[in-house]
């Protein structure tokens, strides 16, 4: 089987026509690989005596299509332009294949093609927005497939962020801490496969640690309903900062102990995995030396304190103090890391509390992790850029570069980061208008905040919004047209916008 | 009396300590000049037999303080850094003086210092957000002072934008069409006084044309209540895109004919005045040749059609078709130009219609006009920048400069525009959180959209928001702390952010 990562590694930037056959070939390899994880829900279905057909069909399709696409490509190397196409098509293709089990199973709302695609794309993009209305009609193997596809999406994004995007320098991605701390493509390339293997074992290890800890809680008697199934299901989507749960009550269906346990794993999922790697290897102070990590910890602590205070003074939220602190901590980490788990229906909280969570949606965790949204790395550059611009406004002849850690950030990179952050916010506003206007067209009575939070929750891959699509709600009431827009923007948002948008420009296809 | 404009013209950028005495000296001159317009409400009060004391007191204070500040400065030239301080202090000082008549009159809510300052700062910044609850307790001379201070604020911003900010190159202001179409400070300087005189006569002329047309309507019998007082009052705040009205019903208190008449004057107020100058001088195609103007017309037409359609399909808005089209046109132009007049309580419209108006708040009209907010010029650069970035993502070695009309935009300017737009949105989000959290603290039950729209309406100097601070509502219910934040951010937003923020950096004060 050809090795896609090795071929991406040999980047060449050539002013020739885009080699779409090479891109499709890599997508084919990825689809062939997808058959392996599909075996897990198949085995589970066999174990529970549930229909095998949904997974057999998906395996058949992914093997046939994968082999077909693979056959298209010669052994041509893929360059920067081909990488954009490959990344965009890979997420789209896996999203399409991922919907097959839902369609074939034919139960509940996801028997409808657009809803099946919504659920699958929400899965692979680690969004965690669900259209499910009644969880009880779905087989356990199908619900586990939802969890697994999110975990695969998280792994995919790790490899994409650390090995591919950082080389394509999208919106400042080259600034994230990578394995070699270098921006030299030549030097990094030989390590890509090694990096991917390292990420995979780290990611799998953390997931197993989470599942093991959760299952241990049931043995300790502090989380009776944390069965092996539930422990694994929530570990898969906690570390992937993805947020699906097989339980309609999300993490709220489990004990305090389970809730407290999941918080650090969401936090780890949104931490740069290169830092985690060095930490695990014994360089315990490596995270603390990282500027983005210090901001990350600061935002978590600061917002948790603010939200806890807002809940404590809210006369309409009657809960014990421990519960208020727990829900504040959990929801801050869940939304900031873009996981989207819920321990409580925060729809009922005060406007101020909801607004704080809403603003967190625009931040995200650290670059180089499974987190989504704009990411703290970019906001740090934006803030440092503002501060520098104020200085040069007063001292026009002064030259003051922006530093991140001990590195100087190039001005072009600062501009790219500004542009990326701004385009994210503009797309968010565009989607809010689309949802609101399409809601008016179809008679869906949305409030402005419902439209805005649903836009942020899908485009920034958070999952739950406020109002009808709240933590225990569903995206099912939205019109098909709105769902298609959300499917498109979950996809666009997850792979950092540029790989899709660049395909829409005529210049991309010209030599 | 020393001439401040001539002194600003002789910019020097020196790495020495900021000469705050020179800045205060110019502010002193401006305060001395303020005595002249204060004579108008004084005469009006005499005519109506209303108390003279409010205006006599303000005239006394402005003369004494103005003279005192003027005495501080030698005849030193002021440079770029001094200009920032001068601009920031000028708007603050006029805002403080403007509040004196409200305080001395002592009627209604603006007898309270913070409310008086809110109303005055909302005036001089051409915001038009009001804390008034009962208009009938205020004298006609006081209500006319509210109008006049907005008109002065509009004139001030014209001179500031075209003569000062474009030289300081704040967030791309050097890109606006200026008199000489040059960025050469040396060449522009001798023309500044001339430019200011030209702007003043053009501005006054358009205002008189508006007042005359409105008053003529009453003679034609199609706007019976458009008295000379009302005609002048609304002309002052239409051309200034400011939005105060002496009538609690805003422009909704007047006839259809009056409403249609005001639309083009708001439109003109948000058009680059250099274009208007050339148009008036006979170069009729000059606006059409200007790229920003074409976008401006496009946005007005596009959004009006969208909003009219939303009103036409809305089953809950029962109005004749003409009224729906009129209100759609009026509100689009009123919000886009950042005027903030209302012909109807759009609070009752559908969420989609309100959301469209909300998004318009982030646009604004053309640079070099009395409009506020981010302004179309910047959004055009942002859009062109995005398009270019997509091209260079696919063709990393290609160099493709951004063009505006027939000029090439420097990369540093593109970065500045990105930064300005982004910092505006970040401040907006920050203010929403402040309003929401402070609302929770004081038990004011705001919805998220109320908090967000009030933040946008004050920081972007629009005026009316949605909900309690809606077009026929009042900002009075907000807490003093929130009002102080809004006062600060109306001030920051009106003078393009940097002049205030730069004062907060230690680097500004060091040599
Ligand atoms: K998520
Ligand atoms: K206004």
């Amino acid at each position: 089987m050809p090795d896609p990562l090795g071929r991406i590694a040999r980047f060449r930037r050539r002013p020739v026509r885009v080699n779409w056959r090479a891109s499709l070939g890599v997508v084919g390899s990825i689809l062939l690989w997808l058959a392996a994880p599909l075996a897990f829900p198949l085995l589970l279905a066999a174990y529970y005596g549930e229909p095998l057909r949904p997974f057999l069909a998906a395996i058949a399709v992914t093997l046939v299509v994968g082999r077909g696409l693979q056959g298209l490509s010669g052994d041509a190397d893929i360059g920067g332009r081909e990488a954009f196409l490959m990344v965009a098509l890979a997420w789209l293709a896996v999203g399409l294949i991922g919907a097959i089990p839902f369609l074939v199973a034919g139960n509940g709302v996801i028997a409808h093609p657009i809803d099946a695609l919504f659920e699958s794309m929400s899965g692979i993009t680690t969004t965690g927005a669900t259209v499910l209305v009644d969880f009880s009609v779905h087989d356990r193997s199908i619900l586990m497939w939802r969890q697994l596809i999110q975990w695969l999406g998280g792994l995919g994004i790790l490899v994409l962020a650390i090995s591919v995007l950082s080389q394509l320098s999208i919106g400042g991605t080259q600034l994230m801490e990578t394995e070699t701390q270098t921006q030299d493509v030549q030097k990094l390339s030989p390590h890509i496969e090694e990096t991917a293997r390292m990420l995979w074992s780290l990611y799998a290890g953390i997931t197993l640690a989470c599942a093991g800890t959760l299952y241990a809680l049931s043995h300790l008697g502090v989380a009776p309903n944390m069965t092996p199934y539930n422990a694994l299901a929530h570990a898969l989507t906690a570390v992937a900062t993805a947020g699906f749960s097989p339980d309609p009550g999300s993490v709220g269906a489990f004990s305090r102990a389970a809730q407290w346990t999941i918080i650090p794993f969401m936090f780890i999922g949104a931490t740069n995995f290169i830092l985690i790697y060095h930490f695990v290897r014994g360089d315990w102070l490596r995270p603390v030396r990282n500027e983005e990590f210090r901001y990350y910890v600061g935002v978590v602590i600061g917002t948790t304190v603010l939200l806890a205070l807002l809940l404590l003074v809210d006369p309409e939220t009657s809960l014990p103090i421990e519960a208020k602190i727990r829900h504040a901590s959990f929801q801050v980490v869940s939304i900031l890391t873009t996981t989207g788990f819920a321990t409580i229906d925060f729809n009922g909280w005060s406007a101020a509390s909801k607004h704080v969570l809403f603003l967190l949606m625009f931040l995200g965790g650290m670059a180089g992790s499974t987190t989504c949204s704009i990411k703290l790395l970019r906001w740090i550059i934006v803030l440092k850029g503002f501060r520098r611009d104020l200085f040069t406004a007063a001292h026009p002849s002064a030259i003051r570069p922006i530093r991140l850690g001990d590195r100087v950030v190039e001005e072009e990179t600062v501009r790219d980061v500004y542009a990326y952050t701004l385009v994210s916010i503009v797309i968010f506003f565009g989607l809010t208008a689309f949802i609101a206007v399409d809601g008016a067209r179809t008679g869906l009575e949305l409030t402005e905040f419902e439209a805005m939070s649903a836009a942020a929750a899908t485009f920034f891959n958070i999952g739950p919004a406020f109002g009808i699509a709240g933590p225990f709600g569903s995206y099912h009431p939205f019109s098909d047209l709105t769902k298609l827009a959300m499917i498109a923007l979950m996809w666009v948002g997850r792979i950092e916008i540029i790989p899709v948008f660049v395909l829409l420009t005529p210049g991309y296809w010209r030599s």
Side-chain angles (χ1 to χ4, degrees), chain A:
Chain A
M1 202 183 296
D3 160 34
L5 290 171
R7 282 159 64 196
I8 299 165
R10 296 189 289 279
F11 274 163
R12 285 191 295 135
R13 292 181 165 176
R14 304 151 305 170
V16 295
R17 192 177 284 274
V18 62
N19 186 353
W20 55 269
R21 286 168 167 271
S23 307
L24 286 176
V26 181
V27 174
S29 311
I30 294 170
L31 289 188
L32 288 178
W33 282 350
L34 193 61
L38 270 162
F40 178 61
L42 182 71
L43 291 173
L44 211 61
Y47 175 77
Y48 287 128
E50 293 168 355
L52 306 180
R53 238 171 15 109
F55 306 105
L56 290 175
I59 291 172
V61 172
T62 202
L63 288 177
V64 169
V65 175
R67 178 63 70 190
L69 291 178
Q70 221 185 30
L72 275 179
S73 80
D75 201 36
D77 277 359
I78 81 165
R81 275 202 286 174
E82 285 78 17
F84 288 129
L85 185 61
M86 181 274 287
V87 167
L89 291 181
W91 257 258
L92 191 60
V94 178
L96 287 166
I97 301 282
I100 293 174
F102 303 147
L103 284 173
V104 176
N107 294 321
V109 295
I110 49 175
H112 183 282
I114 290 180
D115 291 297
L117 183 59
F118 185 99
E119 198 74 6
S120 175
M121 193 58 103
S122 173
I124 191 67
T125 59
T126 73
T127 305
T130 187
V131 289
L132 296 193
V133 177
D134 181 2
F135 281 60
S136 66
V137 301
H138 300 288
D139 289 332
R140 274 171 293 186
S141 53
I142 287 285
L143 291 176
M144 184 57 91
W145 173 238
R146 271 171 92 236
Q147 304 300 110
L148 186 62
I149 201 175
Q150 291 214 310
W151 189 80
L152 293 172
L155 178 61
I157 213 66
L158 273 182
V159 175
L160 179 71
I162 292 179
S163 298
V164 181
L165 290 179
S166 61
Q167 291 202 23
L168 295 174
S169 303
I170 293 177
T173 39
Q174 70 271 40
L175 297 175
M176 74 175 76
E177 184 142 8
T178 54
E179 186 201 10
T180 55
Q181 279 286 48
T182 174
Q183 291 169 242
D184 180 358
V185 175
Q186 261 59 43
K187 201 170 154 202
L188 191 59
S189 301
H191 299 291
I192 282 192
E193 245 182 301
E194 200 182 312
T195 308
R197 242 194 312 272
M198 177 272 282
L199 289 172
W200 144 263
S201 36
L202 200 53
Y203 185 66
I206 297 169
T207 308
L208 287 177
C210 181
T213 314
L214 286 174
Y215 181 54
L217 294 180
S218 73
H219 277 278
L220 294 171
V222 291
N225 54 349
M226 202 42 104
T227 59
Y229 180 94
N230 281 330
L232 179 64
H234 291 90
L236 289 173
T237 57
V239 179
T241 64
F244 270 156
S245 169
D247 196 298
S250 188
V251 177
F254 300 91
S255 69
R256 286 194 302 188
Q259 294 173 9
W260 280 115
T261 302
I262 285 173
I263 293 177
F265 285 100
M266 297 189 289
F267 181 87
I268 291 169
T271 304
N272 183 314
F273 268 61
I274 301 295
L275 289 187
I276 297 174
Y277 170 77
H278 287 291
F279 181 82
V280 170
R281 294 277 299 252
D283 188 356
W284 291 22
L285 289 174
R286 182 69 172 265
V288 183
R289 286 201 308 271
N290 181 286
E291 198 170 354
E292 190 188 7
F293 185 80
R294 293 197 301 269
Y295 272 89
Y296 180 33
V297 172
V299 172
V300 167
I301 293 175
T303 351
T304 300
V305 169
L306 175 62
L307 188 60
L309 286 176
L310 284 171
L311 292 183
L312 288 170
V313 301
D314 186 1
E316 291 177 36
T317 310
S318 57
L319 286 168
I321 289 182
E322 183 273 341
K324 287 188 174 184
I325 293 173
R326 172 164 38 89
H327 294 311
S329 314
F330 192 96
Q331 290 313 146
V332 163
V333 172
S334 171
I335 302 293
L336 178 70
T337 61
T338 74
T339 308
F341 278 148
T343 50
I344 191 171
D345 187 359
F346 45 72
N347 263 324
W349 287 359
S350 72
S353 307
K354 283 188 277 181
H355 194 73
V356 167
L357 290 180
F358 173 68
L359 292 186
L360 286 182
M361 291 184 174
F362 294 80
L363 299 185
M366 292 180 76
S369 73
T370 64
T371 204
C372 318
S373 193
I374 293 171
K375 298 174 190 67
L376 294 174
L377 182 69
R378 294 203 176 93
W379 283 115
I380 293 168
I381 300 295
V382 166
L383 286 180
K384 292 191 172 200
F386 290 166
R387 225 155 48 195
R388 194 270 315 272
D389 292 349
L390 286 178
F391 185 83
T392 50
H395 302 278
S397 55
I399 291 174
R400 179 177 274 206
I402 292 168
R403 283 169 195 284
L404 189 72
D406 49 4
R407 294 154 69 193
V408 168
V409 181
E410 284 176 44
E411 285 308 307
E412 204 186 332
T413 307
V414 175
R415 199 200 60 200
D416 286 353
V417 171
Y418 282 163
Y420 186 93
T421 310
L422 197 48
V423 81
S424 300
I425 295 172
V426 169
I427 295 174
F428 155 73
F429 276 122
L431 184 57
T432 64
F434 188 91
I435 294 173
V437 170
D438 192 51
R441 181 184 69 85
T442 55
L444 183 67
E445 292 199 6
L446 293 170
T447 68
E448 297 82 0
F449 191 61
E450 271 177 317
M452 281 195 256
S453 64
T458 49
F459 176 57
F460 292 129
N461 307 113
I462 314 289
F466 300 95
I468 54 165
F472 303 142
S474 169
Y475 281 79
H476 188 253
F478 288 104
S479 77
D480 282 351
L481 190 61
T482 291
K483 280 179 200 158
L484 285 172
M486 287 172 170
I487 289 168
L489 286 175
M490 287 192 283
W491 173 52
V492 167
R494 175 69 282 194
I495 54 180
E496 310 254 307
I497 302 171
I498 315 288
V500 175
F501 272 36
V502 79
L503 305 183
L504 305 176
T505 62
Y508 174 82
W509 300 97
R510 278 198 301 267
S511 55

